[in-house]
Amino acid sequence: MKDRALQAVVAMALDPILEEISDESSFGFRKFRGTDDAVRRIQSIISRYYGPRFIWKVGINKCFDEVSHAFIIKELEGKLHPMGIKMIEKWLQTDIQDGGKKIKPNRGTSQGGLISPLLCNMVLNGLEQVIRGKPKPGSTEFKKKTGT
């Protein structure tokens, strides 16, 4: 119970930070955004005369299972207080019970954790820019190009 309450506190601190830098076209696991918003965005984009004539649908299988702990921690640096980062690191390394055996994970994040959807969104943030060949918001390259 205590860990869940602490995750809620860390999530409340991290959420507005990630909202500021998240992709405009990202709708999964975000407050006040859902499937209907994604559909409206797609309709708006493809209904333009000069808009794209195709949609690229991507399924990200096992995102929660395969996400890199090192990448998560690196992405959190400078965004969250070091104590919050240490807590997240601890939660990521919590043992998993599998058929009576305890497994120490070296990747992935608990799908039941309050913080997990935020972490997955953070990891996937910038994917659209990478696909389009643009620098990721918050990256050194982005800051150089935009002067921010």
Side-chain angles (χ1 to χ4, degrees), residues 81-138:
H81 188 278
M83 182 60 75
I85 294 172
K86 285 200 181 296
M87 292 172 130
I88 290 173
E89 199 166 22
K90 179 184 147 227
W91 294 325
L92 290 173
Q93 296 171 357
T94 300
D95 290 343
I96 299 169
Q97 287 286 132
D98 185 22
K101 292 170 77 176
K102 284 186 179 180
I103 300 168
K104 186 71 119 182
N106 58 8
R107 65 180 187 265
T109 179
S110 167
Q111 291 186 42
L114 291 173
I115 200 86
S116 297
L118 284 175
L119 297 178
C120 279
N121 278 343
M122 180 186 68
V123 167
L124 296 173
N125 190 34
L127 183 60
E128 182 179 354
Q129 283 81 11
V130 170
I131 291 167
R132 293 177 184 262
K134 297 177 183 176
K136 181 177 173 184

